[in-house]
Amino acid sequence: MSSSLSPAPPTSGAVLGTPVSGSTEAVMPHAGADLCLRIGHQAHDKVADTLGLLAWIEELRREQPRVLGFPGSLDFSHRELAPLLDVLVNNVGDPSQPDASGVHAKAYEQAVVRFFAETASASDPDDVYGYVTSGGTEGLERGLELARNQLPNAVVYASSEAHFTLRKVTDRLRMKLVSVPTLPDGSMDSSALELLIIVHRQVSRLLKRRGPGAIVVATAGTTFRGAWDDTALLRRAAGAAGDVYVHVDAALGGLVAAHAPSEPSWSFAHGADSISVSGHKLLGLPVPAGVFLARPEVVPEATAAAEYVAATDRTWGCSRSGLAVLLMWAALRKLGHEGMRAKVQSCLDTAGYAAEQLERVGAAPKRARDSLTVTFERPADRVVDRWHLACEGRRAHVVAVGHVTRAAVDALVADLSLPHDLRFGTPNRPAKAAVEAWLADYVSRPHPQLGRSGAVCPYVVPAQRAGLVHIVSASWTPASDHAVDELAGVLLAAVDRYEAHAWPEGPDHLRALIVLLAPLTEDQGHLLDAAHAAVKTAVMQRGLMIGQLHPDCKAPAAHSPAFPVNRAPRPLIAVRRMVRNDHHFAESDDQRAAYRMHFPPEQVTP
């Protein structure tokens, strides 16, 4: 852990308690559930509202693994800091100055700012001015406000692929924004910037105006394509205007660029005057937050905000979230610089894997060097909606932040490969009779090699009695070139069918959907094994289990590894709700994490 995250001792006022480090599990942003907000005066109304909110939170958790298109990392947990929800932590004014409220966390904020200043290659991290913001847009606005103070007549130049809020910010600040074309990789074209500046300078001379200088917004990780604007190169190109101010919008890309193998040009060492970075995007937080950094010479001298505040204030706002400060501090304290480097490398590896898999199925992926963003051909709306993809024209993208796993990529690829002619229907009589006989003669009976007493599946008989076993057949025209991906798509469609089925009244855990895979022959079980492996984690993340069964299936019994329990007369799958004992079938770290999402450790049956 980095010693720079030891908070500075408070000069006055209170700094809350003894800090506690964070951990890395997940809570996610809104999944689209309808939440009816009402104020109840009766006790039962309050209980109902609370239960409804908790159910909504669980829905968000289930949806989390499918949020692939937006750069908010969801692999975090700050449960141990829950007591912070019972106190107000309000940072008013500059982090370097205490305030009269006595409920601030400014020592922690100074530690967070120093960490980011180190990350941004400041020559003297303690000399950098900075503070924790509500997010990247606030930091961008503060940077442009300082730029306007330095160069009041200057034009703002930014990439045509800069974040959409830049237009909003320049309008609010009454600054002229000029859009600069990009290179094929999506980064700002420095030659085009220089040409635009020369033209504007000549016009100023003709009108006998003083040269206004130039304000350049460089983007470290453009919004849609994840490209890197070269800060040093753009600063040189803008020199034709005279004085230059460069703000770097490094909302997602700053923490990536600092640890990327290609060492993109983005930091103070490359000529940035100010930088804005998001805290919730790569780092992961339950609230939006960011950090603003600036060279001290571009920041006004400190003046007292007001006598009753008893602090200086050069921030964009006034009251700022101490909760965000403490959450960010806890996350950084656990990771340190080396942990952040490892996290970035893991995300880069996942982005590379996504590009490879999307290429394999003909989705025409593109990825800038050392970018977490992978664009590809825009898929059907159902895929866009299921995976929460961000789209622009004919392209969509995934952003490989921390919670995006290879398992999620595999499931997305499977969804892209779903056969267009897939149909579910009632099996013919012989096929259905064969399945029913298998359920009665094998699945519902004990077996001497099972390793425990009772039936092979103890749930089948009570499920059948309750009318909760549903048997269907899936039919499609197989494609030889992507047979496994296509079959994996069929399996995901079967899971959708399970969730959409109008089940009779009865216990959820007894509901079972059995799907005969009609096009598969008895000797094609290996295709089913591969497809099952590609989607199992994604299915478990939805709180369900999917089993593959065929004549040569080698999947072992939980209590008898030598017994291949998943034998069936023909290839089929079974979909059901996850139960506590399913920890036996979690075979990877991702699957164990998916299980814990629905059955936290304190609920696990030994």
Side-chain angles (χ1 to χ4, degrees):
M1 293 187 292
S2 170
S3 60
S4 67
L5 283 164
S6 298
T11 53
S12 68
V15 176
L16 293 180
T18 301
V20 183
S21 62
S23 62
T24 54
E25 292 180 350
V27 178
M28 63 157 293
H30 181 39
D34 291 329
L35 180 62
C36 179
L37 296 176
R38 58 189 175 88
I39 306 299
H41 297 287
Q42 301 298 321
H44 70 274
D45 289 335
K46 295 177 182 179
V47 170
D49 286 346
T50 300
L51 291 175
L53 183 59
L54 293 176
W56 178 72
I57 291 171
E58 285 306 309
E59 182 180 340
L60 302 188
R61 290 180 185 275
R62 287 194 297 272
E63 198 70 13
Q64 166 196 304
R66 298 206 297 253
V67 181
L68 303 190
F70 294 87
S73 189
L74 308 175
D75 58 332
F76 64 86
S77 174
H78 293 291
R79 292 183 181 92
E80 70 278 18
L81 299 181
L84 285 172
L85 298 180
D86 291 330
V87 294
L88 171 66
V89 191
N90 185 12
N91 286 14
V92 178
D94 292 330
S96 60
Q97 295 291 317
D99 60 73
S101 71
V103 292
H104 61 78
K106 291 185 178 180
Y108 292 85
E109 186 171 16
Q110 291 175 58
V112 169
V113 169
R114 192 181 200 284
F115 184 95
F116 278 88
E118 291 170 348
T119 301
S121 302
S123 57
D124 183 358
D126 291 321
D127 198 34
V128 169
Y129 175 78
Y131 61 94
V132 171
T133 67
S134 61
T137 300
E138 179 185 335
L140 173 63
E141 185 153 2
R142 183 58 173 141
L144 287 181
E145 186 180 30
L146 293 179
R148 186 182 63 180
N149 292 343
Q150 297 283 313
L151 303 170
N153 300 312
V155 171
V156 178
Y157 298 91
S159 161
S160 59
E161 299 198 20
H163 196 273
F164 75 92
T165 56
L166 179 59
R167 174 68 65 182
K168 179 168 64 175
V169 167
T170 52
D171 285 348
R172 277 203 297 253
L173 295 175
R174 298 181 182 275
M175 302 172 78
K176 181 179 180 181
L177 176 63
V178 173
S179 181
V180 182
T182 61
L183 297 170
D185 70 351
S187 62
M188 195 192 304
D189 186 340
S190 61
S191 297
L193 171 65
E194 185 172 12
L195 180 59
L196 284 167
I197 286 175
I198 290 172
V199 170
H200 290 161
R201 186 173 184 180
Q202 289 175 343
V203 170
S204 295
R205 285 174 176 170
L206 289 172
L207 297 175
K208 297 181 180 180
R209 293 176 179 169
R210 183 168 57 87
I215 299 170
V216 178
V217 177
T219 306
T222 56
T223 308
F224 191 74
R225 291 202 273 174
W228 307 108
D229 288 347
D230 188 324
T231 297
L233 185 61
L234 295 178
R235 188 173 192 99
R236 289 196 297 271
D243 294 332
V244 177
Y245 185 107
V246 178
H247 177 81
V248 178
D249 177 3
L252 171 64
L255 290 172
V256 178
H259 304 294
S262 62
E263 300 181 351
S265 170
W266 75 285
S267 68
F268 288 119
H270 302 113
D273 292 295
S274 56
I275 299 172
S276 51
V277 185
S278 289
H280 60 285
K281 289 188 175 177
L282 184 63
L283 185 60
L285 295 173
V287 294
V291 173
F292 172 75
L293 306 169
R295 292 190 296 110
E297 55 266 35
V298 304
V299 183
E301 290 294 325
T303 57
E307 182 179 356
Y308 63 82
V309 173
T312 61
D313 187 12
R314 292 167 291 174
T315 66
W316 183 83
C318 183
S319 294
R320 295 177 295 104
S321 173
L323 175 61
V325 168
L326 293 166
L327 292 170
M328 199 181 304
W329 182 90
L332 292 172
R333 178 69 171 171
K334 177 176 183 178
L335 287 169
H337 288 293
E338 288 306 310
M340 183 59 70
R341 183 181 302 278
K343 183 180 182 72
V344 167
Q345 188 56 58
S346 176
C347 292
L348 289 172
D349 290 345
T350 301
Y353 179 79
E356 291 171 0
Q357 298 307 303
L358 290 165
E359 179 69 34
R360 187 172 56 77
V361 294
K366 293 182 181 179
R367 177 189 175 218
R369 186 179 183 185
D370 285 343
S371 175
L372 301 188
T373 303
V374 182
T375 70
F376 57 102
E377 291 179 348
R378 184 172 184 158
D381 287 346
R382 64 169 183 81
V383 179
V384 170
D385 292 343
R386 184 203 297 273
W387 299 101
H388 303 279
L389 302 178
C391 298
E392 192 171 275
R394 296 183 179 181
R395 305 286 288 178
H397 80 199
V398 297
V399 185
V401 288
H403 72 278
V404 177
T405 63
R406 294 190 176 207
V409 171
D410 291 340
L412 169 64
V413 168
D415 224 356
L416 292 171
S417 305
L418 181 71
H420 295 296
D421 61 346
L422 175 64
R423 297 289 184 274
F424 291 97
T426 303
N428 59 45
R429 286 187 177 181
K432 187 173 183 181
V435 171
E436 290 173 340
W438 167 73
L439 289 172
D441 299 336
Y442 173 69
V443 179
S444 300
R445 294 179 179 274
H447 194 285
Q449 299 179 44
L450 190 58
R452 60 167 173 79
S453 61
V456 169
C457 178
Y459 297 107
V460 168
V461 171
Q464 287 179 318
R465 288 172 180 166
L468 295 174
V469 176
H470 186 52
I471 303 172
V472 299
S473 177
S475 302
W476 70 96
T477 304
S480 58
D481 50 349
H482 297 298
V484 171
D485 297 312
E486 185 180 68
L487 182 55
V490 172
L491 267 54
L492 286 179
V495 172
D496 289 343
R497 190 171 183 88
Y498 174 93
E499 293 188 314
H501 185 65
W503 295 99
E505 290 293 327
D508 286 357
H509 73 279
L510 293 182
R511 296 173 178 175
L513 176 68
I514 296 175
V515 184
L516 292 167
L517 303 170
L520 295 189
T521 59
E522 293 182 5
D523 61 349
Q524 289 183 311
H526 62 287
L527 298 178
L528 178 54
D529 290 336
H532 174 265
V535 301
K536 179 180 175 181
T537 301
V539 174
M540 289 183 68
Q541 288 168 340
R542 294 166 69 170
L544 302 173
M545 296 296 291
I546 184 169
Q548 88 282 24
L549 304 104
H550 58 83
D552 193 38
C553 187
K554 295 178 174 57
H559 299 279
S560 181
F563 176 48
V565 68
N566 282 14
R567 295 291 172 88
R570 57 181 303 168
L572 56 87
I573 59 169
V575 184
R576 59 171 174 79
R577 186 68 56 192
M578 186 185 292
V579 296
R580 290 187 180 182
N581 286 336
D582 283 332
H583 62 87
H584 292 296
F585 306 111
E587 301 167 319
S588 67
D589 288 344
D590 284 345
Q591 289 175 12
R592 285 184 280 273
Y595 174 84
R596 289 194 299 270
M597 187 189 307
H598 302 281
F599 295 98
E602 61 271 17
Q603 298 181 22
V604 175
T605 301

